[in-house]
Amino acid sequence: MSKLKIAIQKSGRLSENSLRLIQECGIKIPNGGGKLITESTNFPVEILFLRDDDIPQYVEQKVADIGIIGENVLIETRKNLVVIQKLGFSACRLSLAVAKEVDYKDLSYFNGKKVATSYPSILEDYFQENNIKATIEFISGSVEIATGIGLADGICDIVSSGSTLFSNGLKEVEKVLSSQAVLVAAEKLDSEKQQILDKLLFRIRSVQKAKESKYILLNAPNQNLERIIKILPGMNSPTILPLAQEGWSSLHSVISEDKFWDIIEELKGAGAEGILVVPIEKMIL
């Protein structure tokens, strides 16, 4: 039986988040114990643990069928891959930074300057789009020390919280690119592997949808039901159950995470009481 080969980063935050997503999809992965490849015990997939920079090449060459990488790596490597699903985790940005004491006004500061980065292709495109003439110094790691040792006037590096920049005497001045984890593939798979991928994508999207939603239960007087129903659109319409107390009902629905607090305020204003909000583990549409 065919198995879908998934390449993920072998260590680090992206690896942890990728494995967590796979587990949330109900796929059991045994402890690899340092192995570079392992098989699920209950789903037809193999996991290849690789360096993140190597994943695009392995997928392009069909050593792996699909891979989980950051958009920054995908763009930088310029491999012939397609994004089949954005995953919503490991969000970061690729930014330009200079020493804290620099009186930075705008992007023109970088004209005639040296900039150190591990992402020369992305930075070159960015400078060209903005008509900046700068020298790009490629560094494979520890980019943040480049200004301190006199190698460059600024850097372009991945930023999450900004604490690493701050601790190295730098300040972020321009965002070059926003990035998140994505699922990528080279081209259409054979029919058997495509079926496995479709099942995997169904599970991933169910997990993602659940994280974007909340299950809500509340009590409300019957005379206010129509008003409350308009506030609670839900997937179709809320479930309404009569309570033992005459003239009252219990409503059950699903609301979007990004509208959560606004909706709660509206519900309270419409007379809702005993509002209970519960996280959703999976959401099958």
Side-chain angles (χ1 to χ4, degrees):
M1 180 180 178
S2 291
K3 292 184 182 291
L4 189 71
K5 294 182 179 179
I6 308 174
I8 70 170
Q9 186 175 325
K10 64 181 179 181
S11 62
R13 185 166 60 96
L14 180 56
S15 176
E16 294 169 2
N17 290 334
S18 300
L19 287 172
R20 184 179 301 114
L21 173 64
I22 291 170
Q23 291 163 355
E24 287 172 343
C25 289
I27 300 172
K28 295 180 181 179
I29 302 295
N31 189 332
K35 292 182 179 179
L36 296 181
I37 183 169
T38 188
E39 295 184 12
S40 168
T41 58
N42 67 340
F43 195 79
V45 296
E46 292 180 350
I47 309 296
L48 282 64
F49 297 95
L50 307 171
R51 277 173 33 92
D52 58 343
D53 292 344
D54 293 335
I55 292 174
Q57 180 178 346
Y58 274 70
V59 176
E60 185 183 53
Q61 294 178 348
K62 302 181 184 178
V63 176
D65 300 306
I66 59 175
I68 298 177
I69 55 175
E71 287 178 291
N72 54 302
V73 174
L74 173 63
I75 296 170
E76 177 63 29
T77 55
R78 298 184 175 182
K79 298 297 184 182
N80 186 26
L81 304 175
V82 295
V83 174
I84 54 179
Q85 184 70 32
K86 292 193 174 186
L87 300 176
F89 57 75
S90 296
C92 61
R93 58 195 180 273
L94 184 64
S95 294
L96 286 161
V98 298
K100 291 177 185 176
E101 61 271 15
V102 169
D103 183 20
Y104 182 87
K105 302 295 185 184
D106 54 40
L107 196 57
S108 64
Y109 165 83
F110 291 100
N111 272 316
K113 300 292 197 302
K114 287 185 178 180
V115 183
T117 186
S118 299
Y119 299 91
S121 296
I122 294 175
L123 184 57
E124 181 180 9
D125 290 344
Y126 179 77
F127 279 156
Q128 286 181 354
E129 289 168 6
N130 290 278
N131 298 314
I132 300 297
K133 306 295 184 183
T135 300
I136 298 174
E137 297 283 349
F138 173 73
I139 299 180
S140 60
S142 301
V143 175
E144 64 274 359
I145 68 170
T147 57
I149 62 175
L151 178 65
D153 303 291
I155 69 165
C156 181
D157 201 15
I158 290 296
V159 179
S160 293
S161 66
S163 59
T164 301
L165 292 181
F166 182 82
S167 62
N168 283 277
L170 300 169
K171 61 182 179 182
E172 185 178 1
V173 292
E174 302 285 347
K175 183 176 75 174
V176 175
L177 175 76
S178 294
S179 176
Q180 64 174 292
V182 291
L183 193 65
V184 298
E187 57 182 43
K188 189 172 178 61
L189 303 172
D190 64 52
S191 60
E192 194 170 358
K193 287 189 175 182
Q194 185 63 47
Q195 288 180 2
I196 299 170
L197 176 58
D198 290 342
K199 290 180 181 179
L200 176 61
L201 288 172
F202 174 77
R203 296 188 184 196
I204 288 174
R205 289 163 184 163
S206 296
V207 170
Q208 287 181 319
K209 189 63 179 176
K211 290 181 178 180
E212 295 168 0
S213 306
K214 297 289 186 183
Y215 189 77
I216 185 167
L217 303 87
L218 60 89
N219 298 332
N222 290 342
Q223 66 264 27
N224 293 359
L225 287 181
E226 186 174 347
R227 179 181 172 189
I228 289 175
I229 288 170
K230 290 179 180 178
I231 299 171
L232 282 175
M235 290 178 288
N236 290 307
S237 62
T239 300
I240 303 174
L241 301 172
L243 294 179
Q245 183 179 351
E246 187 175 349
W248 282 76
S249 294
S250 173
L251 280 77
H252 300 211
S253 189
V254 173
I255 59 176
S256 173
E257 173 76 29
D258 59 357
K259 299 178 181 177
F260 172 74
W261 288 110
D262 291 337
I263 289 177
I264 293 297
E265 291 298 325
E266 286 188 68
L267 290 172
K268 288 175 64 66
E273 298 181 4
I275 300 173
L276 179 64
V277 180
V278 182
I280 301 172
E281 184 175 331
K282 307 288 188 298
M283 188 166 171
I284 313 301
L285 299 177

